Amino acid sequence: METGEHLNVDVLRALSAVLFENGTLVKESLQDLFQIIVTVCGKAKRYDHSELRRMALNCLANLVHKSGSLFSTLHERMYDIVLTNLTATAQYEGTSTALSSSTVRRKDRGSERKLISSALRALHFLLQEDKGLSTRSIPPLMNVICRFMFFTSENSNVQSASSTNSGAFTVGVIQRSSYSVPIPFTKSTGVYGNSLQPLDNSEASHVSYSNMQSSDSEYSDSESGVLQAQRRQHDGKVRLNALLCLQALARAAPKQLQPHWPKFLTSSSSAPMVAGTYKAPSLVGLIGSDPISNIRSAACVVLGNIMDSSKQYLAMAEENIQQPGGKSHGGLLALSERVGLMTRELHESIALTMSSVNSTVDQTIVLQMIKCCTSIVANCSYEKMKPGLVLLPSRHIEGYLDSSEPSLQSAALVFLTILFSNPSAQADVRRNILVEPASSENGTPELVSRLLDFVEDGQAQVAVRVEAWNTLRAIAQYHFEVATTAWMRIDAALASDQNLDDIRVRSASMLFLEEYSKAGASASDPLTADWWQNTLERHILGAFSEDNPSIKALGCDCISNLPAPVFNCLPNRLEMVIMSLVLGTAEDDHATARTAACRTIGVFILFPSLREDSTHLADMASTVLDLCQDSNMNVRVRASWAVGNLCDTLVLLKSGDQEHVLHEILTLSFWTKIMKSALSICQDHEKLKSNGIRAIGGLLRVTFEGIIERERHSLVKDAVYALIKHMEQGSLKGRWNACYAMQNILLNPDFPIGSTAGTSYEQDSDMVSWTKDVYGALLQAIQHSKNFKVRINACAALAVPNTKAKYGDQAMLRKMVQVLMTAVENLDNDQGEHEFGEFQYRDQLEAKLLRCLDHLLRLTGGGTNLDLEMDPALRQRIVASRPRSVEVTPAMTEI
């Protein structure tokens, strides 16, 4: 390298250091800096692996790093520069044998690997900062990443020897013939039925990352060790940076990456398309065999990230049980079967890799592999897979519970927690893991006993005890009957943990109790009142005396699982204590405790025994109404939910035999406080609005005529137009709730709408002021909403009024009938314009439209009275939609 080039290299090296994480500070000099970079590395040459070009790429990478969208206008140009350099470098590999001197060849390969690393690092930063680049052109990008993700000098030598051209890399095509060697397969019987299993063929050659060595002819004996170590280090940096690029791609564009999984995820290069038998490099291969531990760990992390962003894709996995080997017509596989085949290969290969790892030597790798398996099991679906697949990794990981290393024990427990939390894996879990041993007197599975050993062991690490409680909690959620077999030991462990100083273990034990009580409340053999009384007095009520707000919150969560019948069976003394503690916690200084208390009050407010007591009802209502103004949004969300439940309770009081309680509690001042809170909630965050809408509908359904007359020009009017606003705009959830709330309001016989003739509103106008707006919003929802559930609720609300006068005038009725007739016709003609998920509600919507149309025509005496012609086929559909119990009258036959 000449003196001038040395100086330029040093200048760019210094500039690169200055630019690192400081790119945002050089905005004014951006064009000049970028021009320098383009000049040096903008046009990559096949044989140019100079240090100057590498430093320019480092400058580009550091300029982009943590710059966000500041340089977004240049990102595509930068991307092209980096990809061009990588492409030229890969093409160079195939002709590197043309160099005459072995010393020059070794030196050039060393600079080449450094250049590749720098280019991949720049690519990684670009993909990190601009997610749009990930979707610009996936195939050539994936080719580059996969080419260098499995990069070794040994592979380059093999490729160079087999071809004098640049066959190792071509943009758009990844040629993996140097790695792809047929491996015989055989059908295996047993737990996997007719699944294909690879034979152990010692003669089959495939990529081995653990035995990478160069030819002895390239190095003298004295220098071979040092040079090999340097080469391996540089090769590892290439693979590591390529893995980071793949990680950035997986995070930015997981859906676009999924079709390219066969290039790197599985070990059969053609298996996802046709049932193939070719061995190729894979992420799992890196995990199991790469000579550099950092690469193996990075591969684990990348594989976990890919799984975490692909839950929906993995959910379609399916194995064709009828046809051996999963083959479909002509050997071709459906998409679900391709995903199923990759899912099986992934489980088999990761399990095989785990079985070959020495945990005493490679503890860090084992830890990362367990975490990777956790991500796999958390995101895979096993419903349509052959039984036993999820057991492949779990058999190996379960053994680490006996490890002497707490970190491995903790990671294994996290894996088991995820395994027991995956609904689709529970059949395998119940048949193979949570098995009742023949020697056990109480039927407690061995694993449950092992978990209890952890939580009872005072000498165990805190993290291990916490994760053991979490695993027990997952078992209680899906296998409550299994957890009950060990309740005596669990009860003692809960009591013991209350005396611990470490809040993490106490919180974990209370979380278990919360899940256990929830599962027990809905179990086929539910927890008894005696169990609840004993548990409340031994474990739950004491939580309210804790200073830690999380423990108080968990106490409230446990109490919220109390079933109403059980609550009625508790001693009055205990009922009063519970109410006092919950209402007191609602005034706690910490938002966590207040939030949990609001949720519990929201549950209790629906209890028949409490809603019939006006004093208790008033106390709970006053508490949650005040908390709707809390500064913490989580508290307001729970409080608003409780206010919605309060209004539902008022509806239940009116519809039941407790209307006297409603008259006693629903004073004008109390009504005003609820309505103002509900209107305030409707103007709050989107998470709260639906609760406020629901509260308005329930409250106006039970509002007395005197209050309506008094507030019709103020709060009642504000409430009606708040619902109209949310029917016409906002989230789908808000629109659905607004239509439902309007149905509730119209069910109140005292609510004024339609014609004012013969009412106290007659002197104001011929029609109640909001009539056209209410019905107009409902008709708009029926006509234009793309969500069928919103339209169903709008139809239900429109069909509520039982007199012609409540619909206003003849013109309004005619418009309603026309809209409904058009909606039925469009429902038949526009099936392709709706989302697939909506079609499960199509029949229900059609029935609602026809019943609503029938209702209006019956009130008006038929379509002829509205000057409307009706298609005979539609008339027959309306008649057919009527319930069989309805007696046909002459007016009904005139439609």
Side-chain angles (χ1 to χ4, degrees):
M1 188 183 297
E2 298 180 357
T3 305
E5 187 172 351
H6 270 299
L7 179 61
N8 290 338
V9 169
D10 290 340
V11 169
L12 286 180
R13 182 179 287 110
L15 179 61
S16 173
V18 171
L19 289 175
F20 184 67
E21 296 188 359
N22 293 316
T24 56
L25 304 179
V26 295
K27 188 175 181 180
E28 295 180 358
S29 307
L30 177 62
Q31 292 299 331
D32 294 336
L33 288 171
F34 188 64
Q35 188 58 42
I36 294 173
I37 294 171
V38 171
T39 301
V40 177
C41 64
K43 295 182 179 180
K45 299 178 181 179
R46 172 174 287 188
Y47 300 99
D48 180 15
H49 298 141
S50 69
E51 187 73 359
L52 185 66
R53 191 165 133 219
R54 187 172 77 87
M55 286 300 125
L57 288 170
N58 283 344
C59 288
L60 187 149
N62 292 345
L63 178 66
V64 172
H65 188 45
K66 294 188 178 180
S67 63
S69 59
L70 186 62
F71 308 139
S72 58
T73 55
L74 297 175
H75 282 171
E76 288 200 13
R77 182 75 187 280
M78 294 176 177
Y79 176 82
D80 289 336
I81 290 172
V82 173
L83 205 61
T84 300
N85 276 270
L86 288 170
T87 303
T89 305
Q91 289 174 337
Y92 170 79
E93 290 178 27
T95 59
S96 60
T97 54
L99 297 174
S100 58
S101 170
S102 63
T103 303
V104 173
R105 182 167 66 251
R106 292 198 303 272
K107 181 178 179 181
D108 190 78
R109 285 177 181 170
S111 62
E112 169 203 354
R113 290 191 290 269
K114 292 180 181 179
L115 180 63
I116 294 171
S117 293
S118 295
L120 288 170
R121 178 172 174 268
L123 179 61
H124 169 222
F125 287 158
L126 277 169
L127 294 174
Q128 233 178 5
E129 300 299 329
D130 191 344
K131 295 183 178 180
L133 294 175
S134 304
T135 58
R136 180 186 171 195
S137 183
I138 287 282
L141 179 60
M142 279 305 305
N143 291 339
V144 167
I145 292 175
C146 289
R147 173 64 189 88
F148 294 115
M149 190 164 61
F150 307 115
F151 175 88
T152 68
S153 298
E154 178 68 12
N155 292 343
S156 297
N157 294 339
V158 173
Q159 291 166 352
S160 299
S162 63
S163 174
T164 58
N165 299 318
S166 57
F169 181 87
T170 305
V171 175
V173 178
I174 295 228
Q175 297 194 12
R176 305 160 73 181
S177 57
S178 60
Y179 314 131
S180 303
V181 178
I183 294 180
F185 275 71
T186 182
K187 294 180 181 178
S188 171
T189 58
V191 67
Y192 302 115
N194 294 324
S195 61
L196 294 176
Q197 301 289 333
L199 285 172
D200 182 13
N201 185 6
S202 59
E203 297 180 359
S205 63
H206 57 276
V207 174
S208 176
Y209 298 97
S210 59
N211 296 312
M212 297 172 184
Q213 296 180 1
S214 294
S215 171
D216 292 337
S217 62
E218 287 195 31
Y219 306 103
S220 65
D221 293 339
S222 60
E223 64 178 347
S224 61
V226 175
L227 292 174
Q228 286 187 49
Q230 291 178 349
R231 176 178 55 77
R232 285 190 178 186
Q233 181 183 10
H234 293 315
D235 286 354
K237 286 183 179 180
V238 171
R239 296 196 296 276
L240 180 60
N241 282 303
L243 284 170
L244 291 173
C245 290
L246 182 61
Q247 182 184 45
L249 188 60
R251 289 175 173 174
K255 290 185 178 180
Q256 287 77 12
L257 179 63
Q258 286 157 3
H260 298 272
W261 281 12
K263 295 180 179 178
F264 62 88
L265 189 65
T266 60
S267 58
S268 295
S269 59
S270 58
M273 301 302 172
V274 181
T277 59
Y278 290 94
K279 201 73 174 175
S282 68
L283 273 177
V284 181
L286 289 178
I287 294 171
S289 304
D290 198 283
I292 301 177
S293 59
N294 286 346
I295 308 298
R296 300 171 70 185
S297 296
C300 288
V301 173
V302 172
L303 182 54
N305 287 336
I306 293 172
M307 295 294 104
D308 290 336
S309 59
S310 305
K311 191 179 185 73
Q312 188 175 4
Y313 185 67
L314 290 165
M316 70 175 73
E318 178 181 6
E319 285 188 301
N320 194 331
I321 300 176
Q322 284 74 25
Q323 300 185 29
K327 286 189 178 182
S328 191
H329 303 290
L332 297 177
L333 301 178
L335 177 59
S336 59
E337 292 175 306
R338 295 182 220 165
V339 178
L341 186 55
M342 284 190 288
T343 300
R344 173 163 292 280
E345 281 197 356
L346 184 60
H347 283 72
E348 291 176 348
S349 57
I350 198 73
L352 183 63
T353 301
M354 289 202 71
S355 66
S356 63
V357 176
N358 188 339
S359 61
T360 58
V361 178
D362 303 315
Q363 180 180 328
T364 303
I365 303 302
V366 171
L367 186 62
Q368 291 298 329
M369 290 178 67
I370 295 174
K371 291 180 179 179
C372 180
C373 289
T374 302
S375 295
I376 293 172
V377 172
N379 294 285
C380 285
S381 175
Y382 302 94
E383 287 179 336
K384 299 179 182 179
M385 302 296 290
K386 295 177 183 178
L389 181 61
V390 74
L391 302 176
L392 293 178
S394 68
R395 285 172 178 149
H396 297 287
I397 295 174
E398 191 176 340
Y400 289 108
L401 293 178
D402 299 322
S403 172
S404 59
E405 292 295 332
S407 59
L408 294 180
Q409 290 179 324
S410 180
L413 288 168
V414 172
F415 171 84
L416 290 174
T417 301
I418 295 300
L419 173 62
F420 295 142
S421 301
N422 187 330
S424 63
Q426 297 316 302
D428 277 336
V429 167
R430 191 68 183 92
R431 284 194 300 262
N432 300 281
I433 299 178
L434 297 178
V435 181
E436 298 180 6
S439 59
S440 176
E441 295 181 0
N442 55 7
T444 303
E446 182 180 349
L447 178 60
V448 175
S449 298
R450 186 74 180 89
L451 295 172
L452 287 169
D453 291 340
F454 282 126
V455 301
E456 293 169 347
D457 185 3
Q459 303 301 317
Q461 291 281 344
V462 170
V464 174
R465 298 180 69 180
V466 168
E467 294 305 334
W469 274 119
N470 290 341
T471 307
L472 285 169
R473 177 160 58 101
I475 292 174
Q477 180 181 5
Y478 288 99
H479 305 282
F480 174 75
E481 71 285 354
V482 173
T484 57
T485 62
W487 173 249
M488 297 299 293
R489 288 185 66 182
I490 293 172
D491 185 43
L494 288 169
S496 176
D497 283 355
Q498 291 177 8
N499 302 320
L500 295 176
D501 294 331
D502 196 296
I503 195 65
R504 292 170 292 177
V505 177
R506 289 158 63 197
S507 296
S509 64
M510 288 296 292
L511 279 168
F512 165 81
L513 185 57
E514 190 271 335
E515 188 63 52
Y516 186 88
S517 59
K518 182 196 297 184
S522 58
S524 56
D525 185 15
L527 299 171
T528 63
D530 290 338
W531 182 94
W532 272 105
Q533 181 175 348
N534 181 65
T535 304
L536 283 165
E537 293 175 343
R538 280 174 53 83
H539 308 303
I540 298 177
L541 297 183
F544 290 89
S545 62
E546 296 279 352
D547 294 331
N548 188 283
S550 298
I551 299 297
K552 288 183 182 179
L554 288 170
C556 282
D557 290 340
C558 290
I559 288 178
S560 68
N561 295 325
L562 258 171
V566 172
F567 185 84
N568 295 340
C569 296
L570 296 176
N572 291 335
R573 169 192 59 81
L574 196 54
E575 288 185 7
M576 295 299 295
V577 169
I578 290 173
M579 290 301 301
S580 299
L581 290 173
V582 172
L583 292 173
T585 306
E587 300 176 0
D588 194 89
D589 294 336
H590 295 88
T592 303
R594 295 199 302 275
T595 302
C598 285
R599 179 179 179 273
T600 304
I601 293 173
V603 173
F604 281 6
I605 213 165
L606 293 169
F607 282 9
S609 60
L610 293 179
R611 70 169 177 253
E612 294 170 8
D613 188 323
S614 59
T615 302
H616 280 319
L617 186 58
D619 289 342
M620 290 188 289
S622 178
T623 299
V624 295
L625 288 170
D626 291 341
L627 288 173
C628 285
Q629 307 301 320
D630 198 278
S631 59
N632 184 278
M633 191 181 71
N634 289 334
V635 176
R636 297 201 307 276
V637 169
R638 291 299 187 187
S640 64
W641 176 75
V643 170
N645 287 2
L646 167 64
C647 294
D648 289 345
T649 292
L650 299 178
V651 173
L652 293 172
L653 287 173
K654 185 173 183 178
S655 59
D657 299 330
Q658 300 88 27
E659 194 166 354
H660 64 281
V661 180
L662 181 63
H663 283 275
E664 182 179 347
I665 193 172
L666 196 57
T667 62
L668 177 60
S669 60
F670 186 59
W671 181 92
T672 302
K673 188 174 182 180
I674 298 175
M675 182 58 76
K676 286 182 177 179
S677 293
L679 289 171
S680 176
I681 293 169
C682 288
Q683 297 175 0
D684 206 324
H685 193 274
E686 193 65 39
K687 292 181 179 180
L688 286 76
K689 288 181 179 179
S690 294
N691 294 324
I693 294 168
R694 182 164 63 97
I696 289 174
L699 182 60
L700 284 180
R701 178 172 177 175
V702 300
T703 301
F704 305 128
E705 185 177 7
I707 296 178
I708 292 177
E709 290 185 4
R710 178 186 174 93
E711 301 291 335
R712 72 178 187 271
H713 295 303
S714 53
L715 288 177
V716 172
K717 183 177 180 179
D718 292 343
V720 170
Y721 279 96
L723 295 188
I724 291 173
K725 174 185 175 182
H726 285 93
M727 279 193 287
E728 294 176 340
Q729 61 187 24
S731 65
L732 288 176
K733 184 179 180 181
R735 294 185 184 193
W736 184 93
N737 276 282
C739 291
Y740 184 81
M742 189 57 68
Q743 178 186 359
N744 258 338
I745 293 175
L746 295 174
L747 286 169
N748 186 344
D750 298 326
F751 180 75
I753 194 167
S755 174
T756 60
T759 68
S760 58
Y761 307 100
E762 187 173 7
Q763 57 185 355
D764 296 338
S765 63
D766 295 337
M767 192 179 299
V768 179
S769 60
W770 51 66
T771 301
K772 291 184 178 180
D773 295 326
V774 168
Y775 290 134
L778 290 172
L779 291 175
Q780 181 178 344
I782 292 172
Q783 278 182 298
H784 303 296
S785 178
K786 294 182 179 180
N787 185 274
F788 282 11
K789 291 188 289 185
V790 172
R791 297 168 70 179
I792 289 169
N793 270 1
C795 287
L798 194 62
V800 168
N802 54 10
T803 64
K804 182 179 178 180
K806 284 188 175 292
Y807 286 101
D809 53 19
Q810 193 81 348
M812 177 62 72
L813 279 165
R814 189 174 189 275
K815 180 180 179 181
M816 292 179 184
V817 173
Q818 282 182 316
V819 168
L820 291 170
M821 291 170 62
T822 303
V824 173
E825 181 181 352
N826 290 341
L827 190 63
D828 296 332
N829 299 333
D830 301 339
Q831 296 187 18
E833 297 182 4
H834 301 288
E835 294 183 4
F836 178 77
E838 296 299 319
F839 283 98
Q840 60 181 314
Y841 304 105
R842 186 195 177 283
D843 293 342
Q844 186 180 354
L845 174 59
E846 181 182 7
K848 282 289 184 182
L849 287 168
L850 294 173
R851 295 296 298 125
C852 185
L853 191 55
D854 188 25
H855 174 69
L856 294 176
L857 291 172
R858 287 166 56 192
L859 290 178
T860 58
T864 54
N865 293 339
L866 298 173
D867 296 328
L868 291 173
E869 293 185 5
M870 184 173 296
D871 182 42
L874 178 59
R875 183 182 293 110
Q876 293 178 358
R877 291 171 67 181
I878 293 173
V879 173
S881 70
R882 293 170 181 163
R884 295 182 180 179
S885 59
V886 175
E887 183 179 353
V888 180
T889 64
M892 294 167 63
T893 61
E894 294 179 2
I895 65 172

